[in-house]
Amino acid sequence: MKIEVLASAIETIECEVLTMFAVERTNGETLSGVTGKANDLTGGWIEGAYASGEFSGKAGEIAVLHRPPGMKAGRLALIGTGKAGSIRKAAATAMRQFKTNATSIVYAFDSADSAAAITEGAVTGSWEQDHHKSANRRENKLERLGFANPDSSVAAAVERSRIIAESQNFSRDMINEPGNILPPRELVRRGREMAEAMGLECEILDQDRMRQLGMGSLLGVAMGSAEPPFLMVIRYKPNVATSQDHLALIGKGVTFDTGGISIKPADGMEKMKNDMAGGGAMLGAMRAIAQLKPGVAVTAFIPTVENMPGSKALRPGDILTSLSGKTIEVLNTDAEGRLILVDAITYAKRQGCTHLVDAATLTGAIGVALGYLHAGVFSNNEAMLGRLMSASKKAGESLWHMPVDDEYREQLKSGYADIANIGGRAGGSCTAAAFIKDWVEDTPWVHLDIAYTAYMDDIKPHSAKGATGFGVRTFVELALAWS
Ligand code: BES
Ligand code: MN
Ligand code: ZN
């Protein structure tokens, strides 16, 4: 798909579909800019669409005029942005509507500031995972994607957003793969391939190496599976450092989570193929970071395992010794994400990382608390949380601040080891975060629980079913804004 930026007037743009955004009218807003011009050229088609009630500008609404007079485009399309005006979603909706029936789409818009969101929407909207289908695919016909705006800053914004959104799609491709096609060894193979293509340093710790180091917590989760575990480390170092800090991006990489001996119910278990969404997001973030080159060192750590109930599996009651030396009583083998994360966190700290970010599909409880709209964010450091919040705002990925007071640690007391891996039903996401915090100690840290934002159960006008790639854009913005 070729991407181009055009400064030409809308009537001269040659393409199959020329797309414009239109707001939901609340107090008789008048048309101006590109929609005003298109309305004039078409003899009032847009005003007519509003006046008839056929189009009101609600989010995702689409109206199409074929062979618009006075224009070179084959079709003129209006996309509603709604009252809240999510232009990112509107752009994605248009993409999903037209990618199967047009070879060229151009988005014309007035504000140069919206170039990033429109590009991100268009590129993420083009994502589909149907390579396992032999028929009835949503075939992508698009060859040419254009962005029309006279401002000279638009080209750079489009290029930056293209890289970020393609990296998000790269993550989604991996996250969506089922457990048989993407076990830990395939996750690290794809991660290494990406790192090599992007010129990033890549190191993969295998089971023997992790045994030598003493990563008993991570290795404990892997015991029940025939698939060996890995800890994948990918390093980005800036040519010109603008900061002495060292960011760690740590992502949960459970390629399939059966729950282990504390096995999950059958209903909906297939979704547990997405349980490496945190790790997948970190790989996508590194892919973009390698190309956009922030001034801060960033290292990704992806502990990857399959959680299975094999004959050598971890049992409830087992006691593991983590890399830090702290012992863990495993009261539920389904609380496995935290077990692999804490060894990766200790390792990241020993590698000299000064700031830690982790992302994990960690608890069903976060979905009970926040639903599908926001990911939960937990932190031990106000400044770090602030940085993450502004990155997420820029990225259009919503985070909701959740508590992780020291008091939650009390629910994790164990009669036999230093800590237990579950803390009861009350505040399940908070006690999970408190468990991780016990290893983080005073290092500035944020933890994202993305269990319900990492994938969508249903197809949406703006998105395919499945992996969302949640987090990729936020982590990239965080690194780019770091100084
Ligand atoms: N991977 C799951 C969390 C999850 C649940 C992700 C639903 C997406 C949708 C995690 O490993 C898990 O099983 N968590 C348990 C923790 C419990 C045993 C304390 C949970 O949430 O039930
Ligand atoms: Mn689990
Ligand atoms: Zn899990």
Side-chain angles (χ1 to χ4, degrees), residues 252 257-259 264 272 275 307 333-337 362:
K252 171 176 172 180
D257 180 12
T258 64
K264 289 182 180 295
M272 288 302 124
D275 212 20
N307 189 21
T333 64
D334 199 9
E336 85 296 342
L362 203 63

Side-chain angles (χ1 to χ4, degrees), residues 6-332:
L6 316 159
S8 21
I10 58 163
E11 64 273 30
T12 66
I13 296 173
E14 290 183 46
C15 63
E16 244 176 290
V17 180
L18 181 63
T19 301
M20 298 178 176
F21 300 92
V23 297
E24 184 168 356
R25 282 186 167 169
T26 41
N27 336 291
E29 285 87 347
T30 51
L31 296 171
S32 62
V34 290
T35 47
K37 181 117 178 252
N39 187 59
D40 293 345
L41 286 164
T42 56
W45 171 65
I46 298 179
E47 282 299 351
Y50 273 111
S52 67
E54 184 189 336
F55 181 84
S56 61
K58 284 199 171 49
E61 235 177 26
I62 299 177
V64 184
L65 177 65
H66 288 249
R67 303 187 184 284
M71 305 175 80
K72 293 212 166 125
R75 285 173 257 172
L76 173 62
L78 287 180
I79 310 298
T81 58
K83 285 198 188 85
S86 173
I87 207 160
R88 196 183 268 100
K89 273 191 185 169
T93 304
M95 173 56 74
R96 289 185 56 73
Q97 174 71 20
F98 299 119
K99 69 178 178 179
T100 56
N101 54 59
T103 56
S104 56
I105 302 177
V106 173
Y107 292 83
F109 52 98
D110 296 310
S111 164
D113 291 343
S114 48
I118 294 169
T119 308
E120 287 166 14
V123 175
T124 58
S126 74
W127 183 82
E128 207 77 52
Q129 195 192 56
D130 48 15
H131 62 267
H132 297 305
K133 284 191 173 190
S134 44
N136 303 319
R137 292 189 186 172
R138 277 179 59 84
E139 224 62 74
N140 192 336
K141 289 212 180 116
L142 198 60
E143 288 161 14
R144 201 159 62 81
L145 172 60
F147 300 91
N149 185 287
D151 194 301
S152 61
S153 71
V154 163
V158 166
E159 174 61 3
R160 180 184 188 277
S161 294
R162 176 190 68 80
I163 290 168
I164 295 172
E166 285 179 359
S167 297
Q168 185 178 346
N169 287 348
F170 166 84
S171 290
R172 297 165 85 187
D173 280 337
M174 287 185 75
I175 295 165
N176 229 41
E177 288 290 20
N180 67 326
I181 291 175
L182 195 121
R185 63 189 146 80
E186 176 64 8
L187 187 150
V188 299
R189 192 196 66 75
R190 290 200 197 180
R192 190 208 298 267
E193 187 179 81
M194 179 282 288
E196 280 167 4
M198 296 290 148
L200 295 168
E201 199 185 296
C202 169
E203 186 188 357
I204 297 168
L205 283 68
D206 64 10
Q207 199 157 12
D208 289 341
R209 180 75 188 121
M210 293 192 282
R211 269 200 202 109
Q212 281 173 356
L213 289 166
M215 297 187 168
S217 187
L218 191 163
L219 292 170
V221 177
M223 279 162 41
S225 172
E227 293 289 347
F230 299 94
L231 175 60
M232 169 158 227
V233 183
I234 298 180
R235 297 185 176 87
Y236 164 78
K237 292 193 187 80
N239 289 329
V240 193
T242 55
S243 161
Q244 293 314 303
D245 295 337
H246 186 167
L247 261 178
L249 301 181
I250 302 154
K252 171 176 172 180
V254 176
T255 59
F256 195 82
D257 180 12
T258 64
I261 296 299
S262 314
I263 199 158
K264 289 182 180 295
D267 198 27
M269 207 207 272
E270 74 284 353
K271 288 171 201 158
M272 288 302 124
K273 70 177 184 173
N274 294 296
D275 212 20
M276 34 63 73
M282 294 323 187
L283 289 174
M286 293 307 287
R287 185 186 178 279
I289 284 168
Q291 297 172 76
L292 297 172
K293 304 191 192 320
V296 64
V298 186
T299 305
F301 299 86
I302 297 137
T304 178
V305 302
E306 184 181 50
N307 189 21
M308 293 284 271
S311 67
K312 293 187 178 162
L314 191 63
R315 292 152 284 245
D318 282 0
I319 294 176
L320 302 173
T321 302
S322 67
L323 177 60
S324 76
K326 216 186 293 263
T327 59
I328 305 161
E329 184 185 12
V330 178
L331 292 177
N332 189 318

